[in-house]
Amino acid sequence: MTVGLFFGSFNPIHIGHLIIANVMAEAPEISQVWFVVSPQNPFKQRKSLLHEFDRLDMVNAAIQDNFSLRASDIEFNMPKPSYTIDTLTYLTEKHPDYTFKLIIGQDNLKSFPKWKNSDQILSKYGLYVYPRPNSQPSDLLDHENVKVIDSPMLDVSATFIRNCIKKNQSIRYLVPAEVEKIILSKKFYL
């Protein structure tokens, strides 16, 4: 089985994440897409980050009716900050019969060589790339282990959603209804 790994803080998960994951799950080579909820991204500040279990709950609520998508808490018990190569290595050991592909936005390609063991990720796992607005050119687009998947280019961000919540503006249609219910009932991001 080939699994596409979609890493992120998902703070909160939104329709942009879900559309990308669904498009990737429809790619002929990919059997499932796993949302790998990262407790702490080494490149991001923690200040507005909800607890990882709350973010995992929202991911599970968002994908509950899609058997091609799965939530993963694999990084919760790993050293923090989480590095993609360490998670990939651990998943490969845990699931030796699976093939893993890394799903990333085209806007991350330019900085990808700065990732820990990026050469190893590229050669052993490969990248499935989705287009993003304002992406800078990258030589990696021509790499044999980089596959660009045609998908809608959405400019929805979790930051925008959190700001809407702080301003008491509706987030309807930006997140699934189940996620909106969780956010409102638990008063997240206020």
Side-chain angles (χ1 to χ4, degrees):
M1 181 162 82
T2 300
V3 175
L5 298 174
F6 194 1
F7 286 76
S9 52
F10 306 112
N11 189 39
I13 189 167
H14 55 67
I15 56 140
H17 297 130
L18 294 166
I19 290 169
I20 296 301
N22 195 60
V23 167
M24 292 292 175
E26 294 288 315
E29 308 84 16
I30 295 187
S31 306
Q32 283 187 337
V33 171
W34 294 0
F35 287 91
V36 181
V37 180
S38 300
Q40 182 186 347
N41 179 323
F43 296 110
K44 288 188 179 178
Q45 295 287 329
R46 266 198 84 118
K47 62 181 180 178
S48 64
L49 197 59
L50 284 184
H51 191 279
E52 56 255 33
F53 288 110
D54 291 322
R55 292 181 284 120
L56 181 68
D57 286 346
M58 288 191 287
V59 171
N60 278 315
I63 63 172
Q64 63 188 345
D65 62 348
N66 188 331
F67 296 108
S68 297
L69 307 179
R70 185 176 142 193
S72 173
D73 64 358
I74 195 78
E75 290 191 336
F76 289 13
N77 295 313
M78 294 179 68
K80 293 167 186 65
S82 309
Y83 290 97
T84 304
I85 186 60
D86 298 333
T87 307
L88 287 165
T89 302
Y90 182 65
L91 281 169
T92 301
E93 290 169 2
K94 190 172 179 179
H95 303 283
D97 296 338
Y98 291 10
T99 300
F100 294 102
K101 300 291 181 187
L102 182 60
I103 297 169
I104 70 170
Q106 191 171 345
D107 54 334
N108 286 315
L109 275 186
K110 187 77 172 167
S111 63
F112 182 76
K114 296 178 185 170
W115 291 23
K116 180 181 176 187
N117 297 76
S118 60
D119 289 342
Q120 186 182 352
I121 294 170
L122 204 51
S123 65
K124 189 170 181 182
Y125 300 98
L127 305 179
Y128 273 54
V129 178
Y130 58 92
R132 290 282 291 147
N134 305 316
S135 296
Q136 296 179 357
S138 169
D139 294 339
L140 286 176
L141 286 171
D142 298 323
H143 193 283
E144 63 181 349
N145 288 342
V146 173
K147 183 169 185 169
V148 178
I149 303 295
D150 186 31
S151 65
M153 199 175 314
L154 302 168
D155 198 11
V156 178
S157 74
T159 303
F160 178 81
I161 293 165
R162 291 192 305 270
N163 288 336
C164 286
I165 294 165
K166 287 175 188 162
K167 295 184 224 171
N168 202 28
Q169 295 174 336
S170 174
I171 56 170
R172 189 175 189 187
Y173 307 121
L174 293 171
V175 298
E178 297 81 6
V179 173
E180 183 182 23
K181 285 177 195 166
I182 292 170
I183 290 171
L184 296 177
S185 69
K186 296 193 174 189
K187 298 181 178 5
F188 288 155
Y189 309 115
L190 289 175

